[in-house]
C-alpha cells in the first residue's frame, strides 16, 4: 500500500487517473487520443467549457468574474499580475509569508512601486503576520493564502480597506468553503488540488482590468485571453482535461463544503497526534497551521533518519520537509483519503512507542 504525501505535484483521485489514461488511448469514444485532438474542435471545446463552468459553480462566482486556464505556472502570474494591474503611478501592497510571496514581490518591483506591509521572515515564516493595515491609495493587496513550504495558512481573509485583493492560492485552492468573491483576482498552478502540472487557473473580476496605460504583449494580457476564451495560442489541452476531471470529482464529493469537512478532519487527526508526542515539535503556531501542509521537526534531530526510514519502509512518499525548513512535511491535499492520515498517525504512534 502506497501513501502519497507529496507537496506538489501531488496525489490525484484514482478515478481521475483511470479516466485520464483511458482518454490518452481513446478520448470520448472518438478513436483519437486526447493528446491528438485539435484545441479548436468541439471535442476540446466541451472540455474547456465544462472546466470553466465547474470552477464557477464550485467557487460560486458572480457573473462579473472571468475564468482562464493559462500556461506558465503560478510563477508566470507573479509577473502577469503586476504587468496588468500596476502602473508607475500606483503602489501594490504585499504580505511576505515565504519564498513564493517574496518571489511575487521581486517580480512586481519590476513593474511599479511595491510596499511590503508585513513579513514573517524573521521567524523563518512560521506564522501569518497580523499587525498591519492597508492604507489607500493602494492598487491591490497580494497574499499567498497557503504557504506550501512552511505549513502556514491564512484562515481569515485580511481586511483590505476597500483595496482589491489578489491571492496566490496554488496550494489551497478548492480545499475549503469560502467566499471567493471577496477576492478580485485568484491564481493557482493546477498541480496540487486541481490536476496535473501544466495549466494555471486565473479567476479575475473584469472591473479590475483595463486600468494601466502600458502596452502589454498579447500573451501576457488578461483581457486578450478573456476575448480569446483561453485560446490565444494552443492551450495545455491534457492538463486542462485533467483539471476538468479533478473538478468533476470534487463536485461529486459534495464540492468545497464536503471537502472542507474532510480536510478539517484529516488535519485535526494529524496535528492532535503530533501535539501529543513529546519529542515532536510542529513548527507552526496553532492559529496559523495549514490544513494542506503539516510541518514538524523532531526535538532530537537524531530521530529524523529512523523516522524517515520507517516511513519509507511503510510506502509513505513525500514526507521530507522542504530543504529550507528541514524536518518533515506531510501534505494532505483534497485527493488524499482519510485512511492515509490514519495510517501515518498509526506509524507515528508506533514510532513513539519505540523511541519515546
Ligand atoms: C504557494 C505557491 N505559489 C507558487 C508556486 C510556484 O508554482 P509554479 O511552479 O506552478 O510556478 C508554488 C509551488 O509549489 C506554491 O506552492
Amino acid at each position: 500500500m502506497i501513501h502519497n504525501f507529496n507537496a506538489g505535484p501531488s496525489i490525484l483521485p484514482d478515478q481521475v487517473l483511470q479516466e485520464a489514461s483511458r482518454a490518452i488511448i481513446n478520448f470520448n469514444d472518438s478513436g483519437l487520443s486526447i493528446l491528438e485532438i485539435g484545441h479548436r474542435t468541439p471535442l476540446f471545446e466541451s472540455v474547456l467549457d465544462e472546466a470553466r463552468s465547474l470552477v464557477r459553480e464550485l467557487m460560486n462566482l458572480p457573473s462579473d468574474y472571468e475564468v482562464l486556464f493559462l500556461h506558465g505556472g503560478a510563477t508566470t502570474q507573479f509577473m502577469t499580475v503586476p504587468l496588468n494591474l500596476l502602473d508607475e503611478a500606483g503602489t501594490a501592497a504585499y504580505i511576505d509569508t515565504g519564498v513564493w510571496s517574496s518571489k511575487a514581490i521581486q517580480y512586481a518591483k519590476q513593474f511599479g512601486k511595491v510596499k511590503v506591509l508585513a513579513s514573517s521572515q524573521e521567524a523563518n515564516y512560521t506564522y501569518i503576520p497580523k499587525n498591519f493595515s492597508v492604507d489607500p491609495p493602494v492598487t491591490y493587496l497580494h497574499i499567498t493564502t497557503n504557504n506550501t513550504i512552511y505549513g502556514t495558512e491564512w484562515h481569515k481573509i485580511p481586511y483590505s480597506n476597500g483595496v482589491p485583493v489578489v491571492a496566490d492560492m496554488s496550494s489551497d485552492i478548492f480545499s475549503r468553503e469560502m467566499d471567493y468573491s471577496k477576492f478580485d483576482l485568484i491564481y493557482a498552478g493546477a498541480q496540487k488540488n486541481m490536476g496535473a502540472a501544466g495549466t494555471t487557473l486565473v479567476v479575475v473580476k473584469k472591473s479590475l482590468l483595463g486600468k494601466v496605460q502600458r502596452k502589454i504583449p498579447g500573451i501576457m494580457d488578461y483581457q486578450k485571453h478573456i476575448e480569446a476564451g483561453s485560446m490565444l495560442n494552443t492551450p495545455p489541452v491534457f492538463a486542462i482535461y485533467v483539471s476538468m476531471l479533478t473538478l468533476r470529482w470534487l463536485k461529486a464529493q459534495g464540492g468545497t463544503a464536503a471537502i472542507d469537512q474532510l480536510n478539517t478532519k484529516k488535519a485535526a487527526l494529524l496535528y492532535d497526534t503530533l501535539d501529543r508526542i513529546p519529542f515532536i515539535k510542529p513548527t507552526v503556531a496553532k492559529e496559523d497551521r495549514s490544513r494542506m501542509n503539516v510541518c514538524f521537526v523532531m526535538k532530537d534531530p537524531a530521530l529524523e533518519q529512523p523516522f524517515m526510514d520507517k516511513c519509507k519502509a511503510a510506502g509513505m512518499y513525500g514526507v521530507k520537509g522542504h530543504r529550507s525548513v528541514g524536518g518533515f512535511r506531510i501534505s494532505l491535499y483534497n485527493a488524499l483519503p482519510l485512511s492515509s492520515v490514519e495510517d501515518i498517525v498509526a506509524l507515528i504512534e508506533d514510532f513513539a512507542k519505540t523511541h519515546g
Side-chain angles (χ1 to χ4, degrees), residues 7-8 72-78 100-101 144-149 168-172 187-192 197 199-200 329 333:
T75 306
T76 302
Q77 294 307 310
F78 297 163
W100 302 117
S101 327
T144 311
T145 50
N146 185 73
N147 299 281
T148 329
I149 295 176
D168 174 0
M169 286 196 193
S170 292
S171 52
D172 66 346
Y187 61 91
Q191 64 269 23
K192 279 126 176 151
T199 191
T200 313
R329 169 175 54 176
Y333 296 119

Side-chain angles (χ1 to χ4, degrees), residues 18-276:
Q18 299 286 349
E19 203 158 336
S21 35
R22 277 197 298 276
I24 286 184
I25 304 298
N26 181 4
F27 174 55
N28 274 6
D29 289 326
S30 63
L32 297 168
S33 164
I34 179 85
L35 305 177
E36 300 175 315
I37 58 168
H39 56 291
R40 294 183 202 283
T41 57
L43 275 173
F44 181 67
E45 277 166 5
S46 71
V47 171
L48 188 53
D49 283 349
E50 186 173 347
R52 271 193 291 247
S53 71
L54 282 164
V55 170
R56 284 193 176 284
E57 187 181 341
L58 290 163
M59 285 187 170
N60 199 14
L61 289 179
S63 58
D64 55 340
Y65 282 77
E66 293 285 346
V67 176
L68 299 170
F69 282 90
L70 305 178
H71 295 268
T75 306
T76 302
Q77 294 307 310
F78 297 163
M79 164 183 65
T80 321
V81 165
L83 190 57
N84 281 264
L85 306 185
L86 182 62
D87 59 19
E88 284 76 31
T91 301
Y94 279 69
I95 311 296
D96 174 25
T97 50
V99 161
W100 302 117
S101 327
S102 324
K103 282 204 175 149
I105 291 165
Q106 294 317 318
Y107 279 53
K109 280 182 177 165
Q110 301 184 37
F111 300 98
K113 288 193 274 302
V114 170
K115 205 166 169 188
V116 179
L117 296 186
S119 169
S120 47
Q121 188 185 14
E122 87 292 346
N124 199 25
Y125 298 115
T126 47
Y127 70 95
I128 297 289
K130 293 172 193 72
N131 295 324
F132 62 87
S133 62
V134 187
D135 302 318
V138 171
T139 308
Y140 62 84
L141 167 71
H142 180 284
I143 62 168
T144 311
T145 50
N146 185 73
N147 299 281
T148 329
I149 295 176
Y150 316 89
T152 63
E153 188 172 16
W154 292 82
H155 294 293
K156 239 178 76 193
I157 307 162
Y159 174 65
S160 74
N161 208 357
V163 168
V165 183
V166 174
D168 174 0
M169 286 196 193
S170 292
S171 52
D172 66 346
I173 190 137
F174 295 117
S175 69
R176 51 179 160 169
E177 198 171 24
M178 67 195 298
D179 186 354
Y180 287 93
S181 71
K182 289 238 163 82
F183 297 89
D184 298 77
L185 191 150
I186 295 168
Y187 61 91
Q191 64 269 23
K192 279 126 176 151
N193 265 343
M194 52 167 294
T199 191
T200 313
L201 174 69
V202 175
V203 169
V204 58
K205 199 172 186 173
K206 277 183 277 189
S207 56
L208 201 60
L209 303 176
K211 295 186 179 158
V212 296
Q213 298 304 317
R214 75 165 62 84
K215 278 209 172 323
I216 304 172
I219 197 67
M220 293 290 141
D221 187 338
Y222 291 131
Q223 195 59 51
K224 292 271 187 308
H225 281 292
I226 292 169
E227 286 159 18
S230 295
M231 293 242 214
L232 209 50
N233 65 336
T234 313
V237 170
F238 186 63
I240 294 174
Y241 176 64
V242 178
S243 283
M244 186 279 280
L245 292 178
T246 310
L247 297 173
R248 227 190 230 172
W249 169 86
L250 179 57
K251 183 179 168 184
Q253 304 307 299
T256 51
I259 213 75
D260 191 326
Q261 278 186 16
L262 178 66
N263 288 336
T264 302
K265 198 168 169 184
K266 291 186 305 193
L269 177 61
L270 184 52
Y271 281 119
D272 287 351
T273 309
L274 298 176
D275 284 334
R276 261 191 289 111

